[in-house]
C-alpha cells in the first residue's frame, strides 16, 4: 500500500511538472511567435527577386526637371507641395517639378534664381535671422505655387527624371508582420532605372513594443534595403539639399500608423 501511494504521488508530481512546462512553452511561444514568423517571412522575401534590393548607378548634379509620384500617401497635398517647392525647386539645379496630387491630378511648378532672390541674400547668424529666413522662403514658396499649373495625368509634360514611390504588395498574412515599399528613379531620356530601393520593415514585436513614441507603424531598421524611404533620391540628386523636412509633412512611419 505504501509503495502504491509513493508511485501515485510521483505520478502527480510528473503531471504537474509536464503541465507547468507546457504552460511555460505556450507563454514563450505566444510572446515570440511574431518574431519567429517575421524572420521566416523576411528571409524568404529578402532572398527573392529583385536582387539587389538597393542600387544607385549614377548621381545627377543638374536634373533640371523631375516628376515625383507618391502612390503611398498617396500624392502630395497642398502643404506637401509647398514643402517640396521650398526644399527642392531651387531654380538652378532643379527648375521644373511635377507632383501627383491625392486626386490623381498633377501640379507642375517652375522656378528660377530670381524667385529666391530675397531669401538667398539673407544673412543667417542669429536665431531671429533664421526665423525671418524661414518666413521669407515660405512666402517665396507660396508665390511659386501660385504660378503653378494644375493638369491631368494624361497631359503630363516631359521630365528628365522621375521618382516613383510605391507600396510593395504582400500577402494578407505577411502584412500582419511586415511592411514593404520601394522607390524607382528613372532617367526618362534613356528609360534607364538609375536608382532603386526596396525595403522590408517589420512591425513592432510583442517583446519590443514602441514604448518610446507609441505611434509608429513599423520598427525603424530595415530587414533588407535602405532604412530611410527617401535616401535613394537624396543620394542621386546630390546638389539638391532640403532646407527642412523631407517630402511630406508627416513621416511615412507615423502616417501609416494613423491610416
Amino acid at each position: 500500500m505504501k509503495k502504491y501511494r509513493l508511485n501515485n504521488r510521483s505520478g502527480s508530481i510528473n503531471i504537474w511538472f509536464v503541465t507547468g512546462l507546457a504552460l511555460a512553452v505556450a507563454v514563450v511561444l505566444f510572446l515570440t511567435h511574431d518574431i519567429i514568423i517575421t524572420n521566416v517571412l523576411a528571409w524568404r522575401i529578402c532572398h527573392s527577386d529583385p536582387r539587389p534590393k538597393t542600387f544607385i548607378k549614377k548621381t545627377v548634379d543638374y536634373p533640371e526637371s523631375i516628376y515625383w509620384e507618391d502612390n503611398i500617401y498617396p500624392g502630395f497635398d497642398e502643404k506637401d507641395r509647398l514643402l517640396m517647392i521650398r526644399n527642392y525647386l531651387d531654380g538652378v539645379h532643379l527648375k521644373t517639378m511635377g507632383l501627383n496630387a491625392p486626386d490623381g491630378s498633377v501640379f507642375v511648378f517652375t522656378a528660377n534664381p530670381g524667385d529666391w532672390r530675397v531669401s538667398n541674400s539673407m544673412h543667417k547668424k542669429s536665431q531671429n535671422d533664421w526665423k525671418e529666413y524661414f518666413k521669407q522662403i515660405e512666402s517665396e514658396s507660396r508665390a511659386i505655387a501660385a504660378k503653378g499649373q494644375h493638369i491631368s495625368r494624361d497631359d503630363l509634360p516631359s521630365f528628365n527624371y522621375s521618382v516613383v514611390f510605391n507600396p510593395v504588395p504582400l500577402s494578407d498574412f505577411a502584412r500582419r508582420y511586415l511592411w514593404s515599399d520601394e522607390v524607382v528613379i528613372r532617367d526618362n531620356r534613356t528609360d534607364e532605372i538609375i536608382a532603386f530601393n526596396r525595403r522590408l520593415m517589420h512591425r513592432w514585436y510583442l517583446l519590443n513594443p514602441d514604448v518610446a513614441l507609441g505611434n509608429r507603424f513599423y520598427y525603424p531598421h530595415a530587414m533588407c534595403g535602405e532604412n530611410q524611404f527617401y535616401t535613394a533620391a537624396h543620394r542621386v540628386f546630390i546638389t539638391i539639399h532640403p532646407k527642412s523636412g523631407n517630402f511630406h509633412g508627416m513621416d511615412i512611419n507615423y502616417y501609416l500608423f494613423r491610416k
Side-chain angles (χ1 to χ4, degrees), residues 51-241:
R51 298 178 71 182
K53 298 294 191 234
T54 302
F55 67 81
I56 294 176
K57 290 185 178 180
K58 68 177 183 179
T59 58
V60 180
D61 291 326
Y62 289 88
E64 293 194 358
S65 63
I66 304 174
Y67 170 64
W68 311 79
E69 181 172 297
D70 194 324
N71 296 313
I72 297 177
Y73 276 76
F76 298 84
D77 61 20
E78 183 179 2
K79 290 183 179 179
D80 292 335
R81 293 193 293 270
L82 285 173
L83 184 63
M84 289 292 289
I85 291 171
R86 183 177 70 191
N87 279 340
Y88 300 100
L89 193 61
D90 62 2
V92 178
H93 305 91
L94 183 61
K95 301 176 182 179
T96 303
M97 169 190 288
L99 301 170
N100 72 317
D103 64 0
S105 62
V106 175
F107 284 84
V108 179
F109 305 104
T110 58
N112 59 63
D115 292 314
W116 304 102
R117 178 179 54 82
V118 176
S119 61
N120 285 337
S121 65
M122 296 177 71
H123 297 287
K124 302 178 286 293
K125 295 182 179 180
S126 68
Q127 184 176 355
N128 188 64
D129 290 341
W130 280 102
K131 183 179 179 180
E132 291 300 317
Y133 169 72
F134 282 113
K135 185 185 297 184
Q136 179 60 35
I137 62 173
E138 179 70 16
S139 175
E140 291 169 336
S141 299
R142 291 186 179 277
I144 293 171
K147 298 184 296 182
Q149 294 178 282
H150 189 193
I151 61 176
S152 71
R153 183 70 170 76
D154 295 334
D155 297 325
L156 191 68
S158 297
F159 290 87
N160 290 341
Y161 298 90
S162 60
V163 181
V164 179
F165 302 100
N166 282 314
V168 175
L170 299 173
S171 68
D172 291 340
F173 180 72
R175 281 200 301 270
R176 295 169 57 186
Y177 304 94
L178 299 166
W179 165 261
S180 185
D181 49 39
E182 68 180 22
V183 54
V184 179
I185 302 179
R186 187 183 301 271
D187 185 335
N188 294 328
R189 298 165 299 182
T190 61
D191 200 34
E192 177 189 15
I193 295 176
I194 62 172
F196 175 82
N197 181 44
R198 177 178 290 187
R199 63 176 188 165
L200 185 69
M201 315 297 289
H202 72 78
R203 302 288 294 271
W204 293 86
Y205 296 139
L206 287 174
L207 289 176
N208 184 27
D210 186 14
V211 294
L213 298 174
N215 57 356
R216 289 177 292 181
F217 187 72
Y218 50 74
Y219 190 71
H221 298 294
M223 304 194 80
C224 52
E226 288 278 356
N227 283 339
Q228 295 298 321
F229 191 39
Y230 307 113
T231 297
H234 290 159
R235 288 170 58 188
V236 171
F237 306 114
I238 57 175
T239 54
I240 307 175
H241 304 292

